Amino acid sequence: RECDDVEYLYLDFTTAVRVFGETQTIELKPGGADIEVTNENREQYLHLLVKYILFDRIAPQLAMLLRGFNEVIPPSILSIFDYQ
């Protein structure tokens, strides 16, 4: 559903995550706990939230996966490939 005025949702630039059963608050940008989400900055909020969920939250696991992958297949062999 569409929300005409996001200020009624009382959001700020943070998200809550559970780590080993404990809830932690993560700031999506420096000082995010003090920045309210408004209609003017809601796109930035959504961009930062999606970035956190898709990339930042799994960065340690992805780094370990790449480290293990590079132990099996050295980066020098993969360097001949590009995105095309």
Side-chain angles (χ1 to χ4, degrees):
R1 297 190 329 171
E2 189 172 314
C3 181
D4 293 327
D5 193 2
V6 296
E7 293 179 27
Y8 291 120
L9 299 175
Y10 301 104
L11 296 172
D12 55 21
F13 278 77
T14 63
T15 188
V17 295
R18 291 186 58 88
V19 178
F20 299 113
E22 182 179 316
T23 302
Q24 296 179 353
T25 301
I26 306 294
E27 290 189 339
L28 301 174
K29 64 188 275 183
D34 300 322
I35 303 171
E36 292 183 11
V37 177
T38 64
N39 288 335
E40 289 77 32
N41 65 13
R42 69 180 172 185
E43 285 187 32
Q44 180 187 22
Y45 169 77
L46 290 173
H47 174 78
L48 291 171
L49 182 61
V50 169
K51 177 184 171 286
Y52 174 76
I53 291 171
L54 294 179
F55 300 111
D56 299 341
R57 184 169 65 176
I58 62 165
Q61 294 90 341
L62 183 58
M64 291 294 112
L65 174 70
L66 290 174
R67 182 175 167 191
F69 185 79
N70 288 334
E71 286 181 10
V72 177
I73 302 172
S76 59
I77 293 174
L78 295 174
S79 66
I80 62 170
F81 299 104
D82 62 9
Y83 66 95
Q84 296 175 349

